[in-house]
Amino acid sequence: MVKTREAAEIIGIKALTWLAGNDELMPVFMGASGAAVDDFRQQASDPAFLGSVLDFLLMDDAWIMAFCDAENLKYDEPMRARAALPGGEQINWT
């Protein structure tokens, strides 16, 4: 379970590493986000960038399941990690 921002960042880094090693999804992420290979190196420690990686993976259940299976995570952990990173706060409009 994600209890701290540091734990969320660790999951984000794992997601970034997993994505970088995925020859099919990496170009899709780069095209969708406009990120370049250098961005991966330069922004790997940026919590907002890690949040964007998790946002991308959260778009498809199959991607999340593959990532979680590879990293031995519960399927809800990336979503919880995303919520703990900048821009992941839930907005309550009521």
Side-chain angles (χ1 to χ4, degrees):
M1 174 159 312
V2 179
K3 295 185 179 182
T4 66
R5 182 167 169 169
E6 183 178 333
E9 289 179 16
I10 290 169
I11 291 173
I13 290 168
K14 287 181 178 186
L16 179 63
T17 303
W18 180 84
L19 182 61
N22 188 309
D23 293 336
E24 289 182 24
L25 280 183
M26 179 69 160
V28 177
F29 174 76
M30 291 174 66
S33 67
V37 173
D38 288 341
D39 294 326
F40 277 76
R41 292 183 194 106
Q42 294 172 357
Q43 297 185 38
S45 62
D46 179 2
F49 184 72
L50 297 175
S52 71
V53 170
L54 290 171
D55 280 339
F56 175 76
L57 291 180
L58 286 164
M59 291 188 332
D60 190 301
D61 289 345
W63 300 345
I64 284 295
M65 291 172 66
F67 164 62
C68 289
D69 289 346
E71 294 297 325
N72 199 29
L73 297 171
K74 294 180 181 176
Y75 293 143
D76 68 339
E77 286 185 82
M79 180 182 62
R80 293 181 189 280
R82 179 60 190 110
L85 295 172
E89 305 84 10
Q90 286 209 340
I91 298 172
N92 185 351
W93 295 101
T94 58

